[in-house]
């Protein structure tokens, strides 16, 4: 079973997917005339509420919810896996992927607002399924995306995350997975029962705390490793373009291995191009698509350009500091060894960080899944979905989920294909909207697009 799943994973996350995703990032960067240069404008807009606009949550609330789903165990364990498999140069490619991925995240949000609809209860609904249906007139692709995302949410966004939390709590504090799983299930149910407004309210507080908490921990380690930080930075850059021989705590790696694992983990951790984040961007209060696009793209900046880069520096400098003690380690073990550099509280910092990252992913993905099932089945699917999703948290917390990780990984890749069709097929719309509001200096202008009311 696992051999079959691994084989399919190798195909869907193989060279074709990596080239398609990274190629889309580069293409949209050119098509939007390097939208990345407006990053600080996006950050400013994210903390400036557009009180006159209509929507279910604020622009920052949508960003926080998307970040909650995006910043997860991949930012810690994923980067460690990339380094273990591709060498220190993989960190450079993780970072570069994030820089170009900003354009795709921007484009996704623009399309989400452009083609969103209003449900009978007044709530906003959108995402790749509506861009495919209303923009490209390819509803069958929208249905495919919703199906893939609707099932993926139970795996990569739920069960596996709960399992990571209970495993880490058990290892650090020796608490039974059943106790941790029960608490986690109750907390999740209380939050998601209130819908996107409740989720966004929690995420607005949780995301700044968890990111700040983790970043401070990284800065402390870098301070302790200060003698090795510059060498680590040089090694990351040089290894991205030249083969790295085995030794010094690192496995041997080629440039292609660094590129492959760096791009793969970078794409996975920031989700740019997968089509998940625009589902919540569609609920944002904004007067035009470009404003939310600029806000949304800052998510990749915080997730990959900042958090993943810090993680990479921490891991590589820690290996240089203690090559024998960290030799041969990978994934969570490598991260744990790096954070052990902080006396006494290091493992606690890592555990709290992972708990917050994983739980926030559960919350964010609950909304993604809900909107996909609403697209497929209508409003009647909301309450059954929330109940089942909450119960899966407990099931995932107490089970071994190796196969689920693999299946969820495949579903994630499957989501990306129809979403990339939307991004590439509607790139002209993204470019024209950008010119209309950003390049023509009309950021305060109101969109004249009619938002249709649907029977869902």
């Amino acid at each position: 079973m696992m051999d079959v799943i691994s084989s399919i994973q190798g195909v869907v996350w193989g060279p074709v997917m990596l080239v398609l995703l990274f190629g889309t990032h580069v293409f949209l960067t050119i098509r939007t005339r390097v939208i990345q240069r407006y990053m600080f404008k996006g950050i400013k807009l994210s903390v400036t509420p557009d009180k006159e606009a209509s929507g279910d949550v604020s622009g920052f609330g949508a960003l926080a919810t998307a970040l909650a789903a995006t910043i997860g165990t991949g930012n810690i364990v994923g980067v460690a896996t990339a380094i273990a498999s591709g060498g220190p140069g993989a960190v450079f490619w993780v970072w570069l992927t994030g820089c170009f991925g900003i354009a795709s995240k921007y484009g996704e949000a623009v399309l989400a607002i452009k083609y969103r609809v209003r449900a009978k209860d007044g709530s906003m609904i959108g995402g790749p399924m509506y861009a495919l249906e209303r923009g490209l007139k390819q509803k069958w692709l929208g249905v495919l995306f919703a199906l893939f995302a609707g099932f993926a949410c139970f795996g990569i966004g739920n069960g596996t995350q709960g399992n990571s939390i209970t495993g880490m709590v058990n290892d650090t504090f020796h608490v039974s997975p059943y106790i941790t799983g029960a608490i986690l299930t109750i907390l999740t149910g209380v939050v998601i029962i209130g819908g996107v407004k409740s989720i966004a309210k929690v995420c607005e507080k949780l995301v700044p705390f968890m990111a700040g908490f983790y970043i401070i921990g990284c800065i402390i380690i870098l301070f302790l490793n200060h003698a090795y930080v510059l060498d680590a930075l040089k090694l990351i850059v040089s290894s991205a373009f030249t083969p790295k021989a085995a030794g010094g705590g690192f496995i041997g790696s080629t440039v292609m291995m660094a590129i492959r694992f760096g791009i793969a983990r970078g794409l996975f951790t920031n989700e740019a191009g997968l089509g998940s984040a625009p589902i919540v961007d569609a609920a944002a209060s904004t007067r035009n698509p470009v404003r939310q696009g600029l806000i949304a793209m800052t998510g990749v900046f915080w997730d990959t350009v900042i958090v993943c880069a810090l993680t990479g520096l921490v891991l590589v400098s820690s290996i240089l500091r203690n090559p024998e003690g960290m030799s041969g380690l990978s994934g969570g073990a490598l991260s744990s060894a790096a954070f052990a550099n902080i006396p006494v509280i290091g493992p606690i910092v890592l555990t709290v960080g992972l708990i917050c990252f994983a739980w926030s992913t559960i919350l964010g993905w609950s909304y993604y899944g809900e909107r996909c099932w609403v697209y497929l089945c209508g409003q009647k699917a909301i309450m059954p979905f929330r109940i089942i999703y909450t119960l899966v948290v407990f099931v995932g917390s107490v089970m071994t989920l190796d196969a689920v990780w693999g299946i969820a990984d495949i579903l994630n890749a499957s989501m990306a294909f129809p979403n990339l069709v939307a991004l590439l097929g509607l790139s002209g719309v993204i470019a024209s909207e950008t010119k209309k509001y950003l390049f023509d200096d009309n950021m305060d202008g109101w969109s004249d697009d009619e938002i249709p009311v649907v029977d869902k």
Side-chain angles (χ1 to χ4, degrees):
M1 176 70 173
M2 281 305 300
D3 290 340
V4 173
I5 292 173
S6 297
S7 297
I8 298 174
Q9 274 182 287
V11 173
V12 297
W13 280 108
V16 173
M17 172 57 79
L18 298 184
V19 170
L20 187 58
L21 267 168
F22 193 69
T24 301
H25 293 349
V26 174
F27 173 74
L28 288 176
T29 295
I30 297 169
R31 199 80 166 88
T32 59
R33 290 157 51 180
V34 192
I35 197 68
Q36 291 89 335
R37 57 200 169 106
Y38 294 95
M39 181 57 63
F40 290 110
K41 189 177 189 68
I43 293 173
K44 182 179 178 181
L45 285 172
S46 71
V47 294
T48 309
D50 191 356
K51 296 180 180 179
E52 297 179 32
S54 60
D56 299 334
V57 296
S58 67
F60 179 74
L63 172 63
T65 304
L67 273 174
T70 305
I71 297 181
T73 53
N75 294 76
I76 303 176
V77 179
V79 174
T81 302
I83 292 172
S85 303
V91 176
F92 175 86
W93 293 103
V94 168
W95 179 81
L96 191 66
T97 300
C99 290
F100 281 105
I102 288 169
S104 291
K105 188 75 84 170
Y106 166 81
E108 288 175 326
V110 168
L111 295 180
I113 298 296
K114 175 78 174 175
Y115 296 110
R116 66 182 176 177
V117 299
R118 193 187 300 274
K120 279 189 172 181
D121 64 0
S123 62
M124 297 289 191
I125 314 174
M129 50 279 200
Y130 293 94
L132 287 162
E133 179 181 342
R134 299 186 61 223
L136 283 182
K137 311 301 180 186
Q138 299 292 329
K139 183 174 181 177
W140 68 276
L141 280 174
V143 170
L144 271 183
F145 174 86
L147 276 172
F148 291 140
F151 283 110
C153 73
F154 291 107
I156 205 69
N158 186 335
T160 54
Q161 302 298 327
N163 197 263
S164 296
I165 291 174
T166 55
M168 181 64 70
V169 172
N170 187 45
D171 291 342
T172 306
F173 303 113
H174 309 295
V175 177
S176 167
Y178 287 90
I179 295 175
T180 306
I183 295 171
L184 192 62
T185 301
I186 294 169
L187 289 174
T188 301
V190 168
V191 174
I192 72 172
I193 203 72
V196 68
K197 292 182 179 180
S198 174
I199 294 169
K201 193 172 182 179
V202 172
C203 291
E204 283 177 353
K205 297 177 176 62
L206 180 61
V207 168
F209 165 76
M210 72 181 193
F213 185 81
Y214 180 70
I215 288 171
I216 290 171
C218 288
I219 291 173
I220 292 173
I221 295 177
L222 291 176
F223 176 77
L224 295 172
N225 292 351
H226 67 276
Y228 302 91
V229 172
L230 186 57
D231 287 338
L233 188 58
K234 291 178 180 177
L235 185 61
I236 287 170
V237 176
S238 64
S239 298
F241 302 98
T242 57
K244 177 73 180 69
F250 296 102
I251 63 170
S253 61
T254 64
V255 174
M256 283 309 299
M257 286 174 67
I259 294 173
R260 176 191 168 192
F261 287 101
I263 291 179
R265 298 326 299 176
L267 293 171
F268 189 79
T269 186
N270 62 48
E271 297 183 13
L274 294 188
S276 49
I279 295 174
V280 71
D281 286 320
S285 299
T286 184
R287 61 184 63 201
N288 63 64
V290 171
R291 286 179 72 97
Q292 187 58 30
L294 291 174
I295 292 172
M297 76 181 192
T298 65
V300 181
F301 173 78
W302 296 120
D303 175 87
T304 308
V305 180
I306 300 298
V307 176
C308 285
L310 279 173
T311 300
L313 270 177
V314 163
L315 295 174
V316 176
S317 63
S318 296
I319 292 173
L320 290 177
R321 180 183 178 185
N322 183 22
E324 292 184 3
M326 301 184 70
S327 180
L329 298 179
S330 180
L334 184 60
S335 301
S336 297
F339 274 82
N341 287 323
I342 306 178
V344 183
I345 66 169
I348 296 175
V349 170
L350 180 63
T351 300
V352 172
L354 280 172
I355 289 172
C356 290
F357 284 9
W359 188 51
S360 69
T361 299
I362 291 173
L363 297 181
W365 269 89
S366 72
Y367 184 71
Y368 296 164
E370 178 184 301
R371 292 296 96 181
C372 287
W373 287 110
V374 166
Y375 179 78
L376 294 168
C377 306
Q379 295 280 74
K380 63 180 181 293
I382 291 178
M383 195 52 65
F385 171 82
R386 290 176 183 173
I387 293 171
I388 294 171
Y389 191 87
T390 301
L391 293 175
V392 170
V393 174
F394 183 78
V395 174
S397 297
V398 299
M399 289 181 64
T400 301
L401 299 173
D402 290 343
V404 177
W405 270 108
I407 293 170
D409 210 13
I410 292 167
L411 289 170
N412 264 156
S414 301
M415 287 167 54
F417 281 108
N419 181 59
L420 292 175
V421 170
L423 281 173
L424 295 173
L426 296 170
S427 61
V429 174
I430 296 170
S432 63
E433 292 290 300
T434 304
K435 180 182 184 302
K436 179 179 178 180
Y437 295 106
L438 182 60
F439 298 150
D440 289 350
D441 197 23
N442 187 33
M443 286 300 296
D444 290 329
W446 290 88
S447 172
D448 52 8
D449 294 320
E450 181 182 352
I451 303 177
V453 177
V454 296
D455 186 21
K456 286 189 177 181

